[in-house]
Amino acid sequence: MTATAAERTAAKDRRARRRPRFEGGLAGGPAALLLLLPVALLEIAILFAPLLYIAFRSLYDWQPGGDSEFIGFDNYVALFTDPAFWQVVGNQFFYLLGLPLWVIAPLVVAFMLREKVAGAGFFRSVYFLPAVMSPAVVALVFRALLSGDGPVNALLRAVGLGSLAHPWLSDEAAVKPVIVILVLWAGFGTGVLIFSAALSAVPKHLFEAARLDGVGFWGEFWHIAVPSIRSAVVLWMIFQVISIFLFMFSWVYVLTRGGPGLSSATMDFAIYQEFMRFGFFGTAAAQSVVLMLFIVFIAALGGVIVKLLGRDRSRGKRAAA
Amino acid sequence: MKLRRSRLLAGLAAVAAAALVLTGCSGGGKSNTLTLGEVPKDDTKLTVWTFLPDNYEHGKEAYDQIIAAFNEKYPQVEVDLVTMPYPTYFDQVRNAGVSRSGPDVITMYGGAQAYSYRNSLFPMQDALDPANDIRYIDENYSRDGNLYIVPTGAYGYAMLVNQDLFKKGGVDPKEGLATWDGLIQTCTTLSGKGIQPFASGWQDGFQLETLLYMISSQLMDTETLAKWTKGELPLTDPLFRTVIDRVLEMNEAGCFGGEEALGRAMYDDAFNQYYAGDGAMFLTGGLSTAETGYKEQPSTTVMPMPQVPESKHESLIDAGAEAGWSVTKWTKSPEAAAAFANFMAGTEAQQILWDVANVVPNNNAVKAEPSTPMQKAFVPLILNPENHTGFSSFPLEVLAVVERNAAPLVSGKMSEDEFFEQAVRAYDKSS
């Protein structure tokens, strides 16, 4: 059971090889830290200091330019006891129902474009086009398209589907699903691009072998493509979820102003209203902190999922070996 | 261990330093009072932010003349007038307030709106030029007892009436619109003949706000208005219920047309609807809108909305200052800034605005002789001494509830109780 001399030497070599990397870091520590310092300071100044400041301010009846009284958690109590806040949070989670659509639709199209489709590059470019357009401009266009007497309803009426014509953006029941579809439209191209890149790294022989075994399109999709790029899928999911919490403002602001009522308002829009329109700086700060915590929680959850999936895969590989 | 402790200490020191910095940033600006002082002889520059010139056809021309006249009086003061679009104007002002930098003078509404920006504005009550005999001062005080604007100009909410459509509907407007019951009957008659009584757009709620101002002013006597201005009249007062009841009564009588107006159209659309001859009446506060209405529909006249049965007045219309001018707390030239705000309320500026841009003055010394048909019909209504307004005392939070719930309320999707529950909650939050 004793190690051979060769094994001992090899182990020593491994340790030796490992040590310089570690010790080198320490040895070069002060210099390296000095070099990193500007970046670290910038990071703190740009990212963490404002966050800390907002968290600090959320404990005050914040009156920029006036006397700000410390009120503890009163802003949070006011927020959590306000039914309007919960309606907005509810809207936010309703939008999350669009997640499967936002993930599966670009994934399927990316999978289809992986095949030898004529003009695949052209299609990718066309799909990507909305991603480079300003959401404010796009939202204005959609507001015109979806207005009561706009082209969408006119088209529906022209083809005999007048009963489907709808006040799309001013109907409480319709407005959120419409926004879900618009977000799909806006993010679709980016999703296709990311999934195409991920799929291009999957060995082709896997699909060829499956085809030889008689596996169909959906079989290849679910059993080979999706598992092979699951990290990209999870990444895209997390990105979409964060987008729903952080990047909906321009859509909501231009399309609906949060209405009708509050039925399409998002947290970022509500924060804007509290801060800019009403001057309730303290509650806006509290709401910002809550939003940040939501996002941190979701990002952490995504990280755990990625880790679990990675563990499953390595287990699967070990089992196969 | 030593290392860990020193790191811990360093960490604590950093947190303490951050806390100190944050505490230092807490701001402690006191509400200084501005008094009327002599403008220094040194050269100075004023930055003035406003959205008003864009409101009128010849707005830019009028403001150029006003600045030239101001410079004749104060040659040492250079005025940089920045005209901004209204939809983003107050966002810009808010940003300036938070960063404590930007304009020296701004256009602002009084009362509740100014109160929301109170940490950025000097109280003006001690800086008003006594030479200016101006109206609408009392109702522009904010609930903290300060006047943050020098009110200028005058508006009055009245009805544009398309007499051709009334004729088509077989209704004599003078008779039909003399009383509240007559108005309700007129709506029923006109809509029965396929004529939309009021050009309407409810989606953004501005139409409900307009009616809220028009009817609540009728329901407030001088004492009640004073209480409302001071923030002592709660939104649970029955008079506000009466306003909404009367609006719903109008709706039931078909005053506002069908679903198109209730759910889909914006108030802006209603202007175009009237101009196109698709609505027999339109609620407006501005003379320039009346002039456009007259240009597009030459049978247009202006009439007051009849008093609701609960009105405390004979012939009041909701009327008040068109807007006002405020001095920011960070200005380096408070005397020059106050001089500009007062100049805007003075006879010279108000005369220019009347002559060039059709803005009704609130300075009693200005001679506003009506010459056009719309001026002849509208100006006497605006200058009625019985008029007042509670408009400026509606907190912004309440207006937000009114705006977002207008269409659901009028279309029956939201109950009156629920509407008031939300409005009262917003009112409580604002106080």
Side-chain angles (χ1 to χ4, degrees):
Chain A
M1 288 297 282
T2 53
T4 63
E7 280 170 341
R8 276 199 302 272
T9 312
K12 205 175 166 186
D13 279 353
R14 277 200 297 276
R15 277 200 299 277
R17 272 202 299 274
R18 218 180 286 144
R19 200 179 297 133
R21 272 167 62 196
F22 182 61
E23 286 180 349
L26 276 183
L33 282 176
L34 202 65
L35 288 172
L36 282 173
L37 197 62
V39 179
L41 286 177
L42 264 180
E43 181 96 355
I44 288 166
I46 293 170
L47 198 66
F48 294 108
L51 284 178
L52 277 174
Y53 186 65
I54 288 296
F56 171 76
R57 279 297 176 201
S58 70
L59 304 174
Y60 282 78
D61 176 16
W62 185 13
Q63 300 288 337
D67 293 322
S68 303
E69 190 191 338
F70 179 78
I71 53 169
F73 288 97
D74 283 5
N75 284 326
Y76 291 91
V77 173
L79 195 64
F80 294 139
T81 53
D82 184 355
F85 169 73
W86 292 110
Q87 187 180 353
V88 171
V89 171
N91 292 344
Q92 204 82 65
F93 282 97
F94 183 96
Y95 289 131
L96 285 181
L97 295 179
L99 192 60
L101 191 66
W102 299 329
V103 174
I104 291 170
L107 189 53
V108 170
V109 171
F111 183 66
M112 286 161 72
L113 288 176
R114 185 193 56 86
E115 295 289 326
K116 281 177 185 166
V117 175
F122 169 76
F123 286 120
R124 271 188 212 110
S125 304
V126 169
Y127 294 142
F128 190 66
L129 207 58
V132 294
M133 292 165 81
S134 157
V137 176
V138 173
L140 271 177
V141 172
F142 273 106
R143 201 172 75 177
L145 287 173
L146 296 168
S147 67
D149 48 3
V152 171
N153 282 339
L155 182 72
L156 286 171
R157 288 184 192 109
V159 297
L161 295 170
S163 59
L164 294 179
H166 216 69
W168 301 103
L169 297 174
S170 55
D171 183 297
E172 216 169 301
V175 67
K176 282 194 284 278
V178 166
I179 290 179
V180 165
I181 290 167
L182 294 185
V183 170
L184 167 69
W185 181 85
F188 186 75
T190 314
V192 169
L193 209 70
I194 287 175
F195 291 140
S196 294
L199 283 168
S200 68
V202 180
K204 281 184 182 161
H205 64 81
L206 289 178
F207 295 104
E208 286 161 5
R211 238 169 271 159
L212 286 175
D213 287 343
V215 177
F217 176 87
W218 290 110
E220 280 183 45
F221 178 76
W222 286 116
H223 301 298
I224 300 174
V226 174
S228 303
I229 61 164
R230 76 174 94 186
S231 296
V233 173
V234 173
L235 179 79
W236 179 243
M237 278 169 69
I238 294 170
F239 178 74
Q240 288 294 94
V241 171
I242 290 174
S243 297
I244 284 304
F245 279 95
L246 280 186
F247 304 127
M248 290 289 283
F249 179 83
S250 46
W251 288 101
V252 171
Y253 184 83
V254 179
L255 279 173
T256 65
R257 296 277 168 130
L262 277 176
S263 51
S264 63
T266 49
M267 286 177 82
D268 51 1
F269 182 78
I271 291 167
Y272 161 80
Q273 286 269 81
E274 288 281 306
F275 193 96
M276 298 300 273
R277 182 148 187 222
F278 307 140
F280 289 146
F281 302 104
T283 43
Q287 203 161 342
S288 303
V289 170
V290 172
L291 176 60
M292 191 188 72
L293 292 177
F294 266 128
I295 292 166
V296 168
F297 173 74
I298 287 164
L301 193 70
V304 170
I305 292 170
V306 171
K307 214 170 185 179
L308 287 176
L309 287 174
R311 196 181 293 168
D312 279 354
R313 197 153 64 162
S314 55
R315 263 187 209 148
K317 273 183 186 166
R318 274 203 298 275
Chain B
M1 195 63 192
K2 217 176 195 176
L3 184 69
R4 272 189 203 159
R5 199 186 306 154
S6 68
R7 275 185 187 169
L8 185 69
L9 285 172
L12 285 173
V15 170
L20 273 174
V21 168
L22 292 171
T23 314
C25 292
S26 64
K30 301 286 173 251
S31 67
N32 307 319
T33 304
L34 191 65
T35 49
L36 196 62
E38 200 173 320
V39 179
K41 301 282 179 220
D42 301 335
D43 284 354
T44 183
K45 186 178 173 181
L46 285 183
T47 302
V48 178
W49 284 5
T50 182
F51 57 85
L52 287 173
D54 285 348
N55 283 4
Y56 330 109
E57 200 179 344
H58 300 291
K60 189 183 175 316
E61 202 182 322
Y63 275 82
D64 285 348
Q65 287 186 29
I66 288 170
I67 289 166
F70 179 76
N71 280 144
E72 264 184 41
K73 196 172 178 185
Y74 302 105
Q76 74 274 35
V77 184
E78 184 193 341
V79 177
D80 178 18
L81 186 83
V82 183
T83 305
M84 297 180 171
Y86 180 78
T88 53
Y89 176 78
F90 285 101
D91 288 358
Q92 302 294 336
V93 173
R94 187 72 79 192
N95 282 333
V98 173
S99 64
R100 320 293 300 158
S101 63
D104 304 280
V105 181
I106 56 172
T107 297
M108 176 57 65
Y109 292 117
Q113 177 106 12
Y115 181 74
S116 171
Y117 295 83
R118 63 193 176 281
N119 292 315
S120 304
L121 308 176
F122 273 117
M124 298 295 292
Q125 60 267 25
D126 297 326
L128 292 177
D129 186 346
N132 290 333
D133 174 18
I134 52 175
R135 299 190 300 279
Y136 314 130
I137 289 181
D138 289 349
E139 55 249 66
N140 279 296
Y141 268 83
S142 297
R143 61 173 56 175
D144 61 355
N146 285 319
L147 177 73
Y148 291 102
I149 66 163
V150 179
T152 56
Y155 79 90
Y157 276 118
M159 302 191 301
L160 300 187
V161 176
N162 182 326
Q163 297 178 90
D164 282 350
L165 286 180
F166 267 73
K167 201 171 172 186
K168 202 172 150 192
V171 180
D172 174 10
K174 277 189 186 147
E175 204 178 296
L177 302 177
T179 62
W180 183 260
D181 289 343
L183 171 70
I184 297 299
Q185 185 55 49
T186 298
C187 284
T188 311
T189 309
L190 291 178
S191 57
K193 295 198 173 168
I195 298 167
Q196 180 161 331
F198 279 91
S200 297
W202 285 88
Q203 194 184 322
D204 49 18
F206 294 146
Q207 185 153 346
L208 182 59
E209 275 184 17
T210 304
L211 285 162
L212 185 62
Y213 305 145
M214 293 174 87
I215 301 175
S216 63
S217 286
Q218 293 184 5
L219 298 178
M220 289 181 191
D221 54 21
T222 312
E223 269 178 36
T224 313
L225 179 64
K227 277 172 77 181
W228 175 236
T229 306
K230 286 179 193 159
E232 291 167 3
L233 184 74
L235 210 61
T236 47
D237 190 281
L239 81 81
F240 295 105
R241 280 264 177 180
T242 306
V243 175
I244 298 301
D245 287 343
R246 291 297 171 191
V247 173
L248 293 178
E249 185 188 4
M250 289 173 80
N251 185 44
E252 274 167 32
C255 286
F256 308 125
E259 199 193 331
E260 191 72 30
L262 297 183
R264 303 177 195 184
M266 310 286 258
Y267 190 44
D268 265 356
D269 299 327
F271 285 73
N272 296 325
Q273 197 182 10
Y274 182 83
Y275 297 155
D278 294 334
M281 291 174 277
F282 181 56
L283 304 169
T284 186
L287 192 48
S288 56
T289 307
E291 295 287 5
T292 313
Y294 181 73
K295 210 162 104 185
E296 300 294 329
Q297 298 297 323
S299 74
T300 294
T301 188
V302 186
M303 295 180 73
M305 189 166 82
Q307 306 293 305
V308 294
E310 300 85 356
S311 174
K312 310 279 188 231
H313 304 271
E314 295 292 320
S315 59
L316 169 144
I317 66 165
D318 177 273
E322 189 200 31
W325 297 87
S326 300
V327 175
T328 58
K329 277 188 177 170
W330 54 84
T331 179
K332 291 190 174 73
S333 321
E335 295 87 0
F340 183 84
N342 277 306
F343 189 82
M344 291 305 299
T347 49
E348 204 170 350
Q350 298 237 344
Q351 190 71 58
I352 293 171
L353 279 168
W354 167 250
D355 292 342
V356 181
N358 220 1
V359 180
V360 180
N362 70 324
N363 187 317
N364 293 319
V366 175
K367 286 190 173 34
E369 295 293 343
S371 56
T372 68
M374 287 300 96
Q375 287 176 348
K376 283 177 184 165
F378 210 155
V379 173
L381 296 179
I382 294 176
L383 299 182
N384 177 1
E386 202 183 2
N387 293 345
H388 65 203
T389 181
F391 150 72
S392 50
S393 300
F394 279 93
L396 300 181
E397 303 75 19
V398 174
L399 294 182
V401 170
V402 171
E403 285 163 19
R404 71 179 183 232
N405 292 331
L409 173 78
V410 177
S411 60
K413 287 179 184 162
M414 174 181 270
S415 71
E416 208 176 328
D417 284 344
E418 198 184 335
F419 178 84
F420 269 100
E421 201 178 296
Q422 289 193 25
V424 168
R425 204 181 302 124
Y427 184 85
D428 292 344
K429 191 175 170 185
S430 74
S431 32

